[in-house]
Amino acid sequence: MPATCDDVGGGYRFRFLDCEGRTVEVSSRVAARAFRSVEPGEGRPTVISHVVLNTSDLRTALTFYQSIFDLKVSDWVEDIMVFLRSETAHHMLAFTRAPHTSLNHVAFELRGIDEFMRATGAMVRKGYSPLWGPGRHGVGANTFTYFQEPVSRFVAEYTTGMLRIDPDHEWTPRVYPGNAQTSDTWGGASPRDDAVSANLLGCPDTGLWQPPPV
């Protein structure tokens, strides 16, 4: 049942397990945290852009999340990846076919292309070589640079410039081929090879069907 949340920001929340055993928490009426605006040229993320999840049953995951959250399909990559939206951004959630259930990556939005490249450069100067990128995806048109935390193996993406879909006009989902042009329209990033794909698959989620303590 929904209950008052004692975390910072308060509000109300409830949790449920999805079709693959992930714990999903929905919160409302949470007080907004005070923040300052990101200045032009500042390589600091502004928001979480999107999350990609690995699934061993893509069709079931798609049906479940569409039925719960009324998400709309924006596009596909063959039958291995589906992109979902709730508002105007091309995708805020995506699922990709995998041998196990896990987190693929979390993407952080930068203010613009200059800030995106500055953020990428700042990570490189700190000793973090990109796992993949910089480049621009063919699906969604957003830029990308992926980095991997060396201990936890968590993958984070820096991104900006995602395609916006006008809700007042009809949108027909496309099925893109799973090729290099779809992965990177610029063609400047290293190919998405087996090593990149393996890191994005992550490790099987060990917390499935085990709700965390409230």
Side-chain angles (χ1 to χ4, degrees), residues 76-89:
W76 290 82
V77 174
E78 297 181 355
D79 64 345
I80 60 176
M81 191 169 187
V82 62
F83 298 82
L84 302 168
R85 70 185 189 278
S86 62
E87 295 183 344
T88 61

Side-chain angles (χ1 to χ4, degrees), residues 2-18:
T4 302
C5 179
D6 294 329
D7 293 345
V8 174
Y12 298 87
R13 69 180 179 191
F14 66 93
R15 292 174 173 175
F16 61 91
L17 299 178
D18 76 0

Side-chain angles (χ1 to χ4, degrees), residues 16 24 26 64-72 86 93:
F16 61 91
V24 179
V26 178
F64 181 89
Y65 276 81
Q66 280 191 298
S67 66
I68 295 296
F69 295 111
D70 194 30
L71 301 177
K72 297 178 175 60
S86 62
L93 179 67

Side-chain angles (χ1 to χ4, degrees), residues 116 132-137 142-146 157-159 183-184 189:
F116 162 77
W132 186 29
R136 185 183 287 277
H137 289 310
N142 53 302
T143 63
F144 67 88
T145 306
Y146 294 82
E157 176 190 12
Y158 279 166
T159 188
S183 294
D184 178 20

